[in-house]
Amino acid sequence: MRIIGLTGGIGSGKSTVSAYLREKKIPVVDADSISRQLTAPGSSLLPAVRILLGDKVFREDGKLNRQAVADIIFNDKELLKSYEELITNETARRCLEELRQLDEQKRWKAAVLDAPLLFECGMQQYMDENWLVQADPETRIARVTARDGISREAICDRMQRQMSEEKKASLADVIIENSGSLEELYRQIDRQLERIGNEG
């Protein structure tokens, strides 16, 4: 089974690619979903997060404010390292375990790890190949504004704090360009899946 790492910056359309792969009956392990489980109310890891980052990253209902966490840890290398040791490493371990279980079933030619921080966390080294979804900055900003109602300034700030597109591209094996239509996007994915099928 070929394991594909899938990533992309905010507004790139990574989730659209992931959804299409699911439609194609390809199993997708969602790193964000696993991370949310680890930080859900009642999780044994939450007290440690509170000690590390303080009350300010929690909402009034006790739920973790993931954006507040990101704002803090990506501006403090020491806190980022500590948070990764606490949450990210456990998320990575569970993702790899799910992929291992899928591989053991011998039912699929490919499986996907959908991970926004694939490269930042070094997860690409465990993949057979890595796909990066890209789109031009204005397209990304328009998408996020329409989807989340966030200001242009806030989106640009978040984009600047993420790993550069150039750096990501240098680590990727396949680049999926998503500045055009859905049909164009799907054709690119289909070509990659056909390639993998032929290689198998």
Side-chain angles (χ1 to χ4, degrees), residues 10 141 144-146 148-158:
I10 183 173
I141 291 168
V144 179
T145 301
D148 301 334
I150 302 173
S151 71
R152 180 186 181 88
E153 292 74 17
I155 298 166
C156 290
D157 179 63
R158 185 168 171 186

Side-chain angles (χ1 to χ4, degrees), residues 78-92:
E78 289 302 316
L79 281 179
L80 175 60
K81 182 180 178 181
S82 298
Y83 189 80
E84 284 178 345
E85 291 173 353
L86 184 64
I87 303 294
T88 309
N89 290 348
E90 179 61 16
T91 299

Side-chain angles (χ1 to χ4, degrees), residues 154-170:
I155 298 166
C156 290
D157 179 63
R158 185 168 171 186
M159 288 169 64
Q160 289 171 359
R161 285 189 282 109
Q162 293 180 335
M163 181 184 288
S164 73
E165 290 299 296
E166 293 77 15
K167 177 64 174 176
K168 289 179 182 178
S170 73

Side-chain angles (χ1 to χ4, degrees), residues 63-131:
K63 293 181 179 178
L64 192 66
N65 183 332
R66 290 164 60 82
Q67 184 57 54
V69 171
D71 289 342
I72 292 172
I73 64 175
F74 289 117
N75 287 295
D76 187 317
K77 291 183 178 179
E78 289 302 316
L79 281 179
L80 175 60
K81 182 180 178 181
S82 298
Y83 189 80
E84 284 178 345
E85 291 173 353
L86 184 64
I87 303 294
T88 309
N89 290 348
E90 179 61 16
T91 299
R93 189 193 68 77
R94 294 196 186 189
C95 287
L96 292 174
E97 175 60 21
E98 285 198 22
L99 289 167
R100 185 190 64 77
Q101 291 175 5
L102 289 169
D103 190 30
E104 287 181 349
Q105 294 179 46
K106 308 295 183 188
R107 293 175 55 193
W108 298 278
K109 283 195 172 183
V112 173
L113 171 62
D114 178 339
L117 300 179
L118 181 76
F119 297 137
E120 290 86 341
C121 299
M123 287 290 285
Q124 78 276 6
Q125 63 185 306
Y126 302 108
M127 306 294 110
D128 294 313
E129 61 182 71
N130 296 284
W131 294 9

Side-chain angles (χ1 to χ4, degrees), residues 28-44:
V28 176
V29 175
D30 187 337
D32 253 3
S33 177
I34 291 173
S35 177
R36 282 192 291 271
Q37 292 170 23
L38 291 174
T39 55
S43 166
S44 60

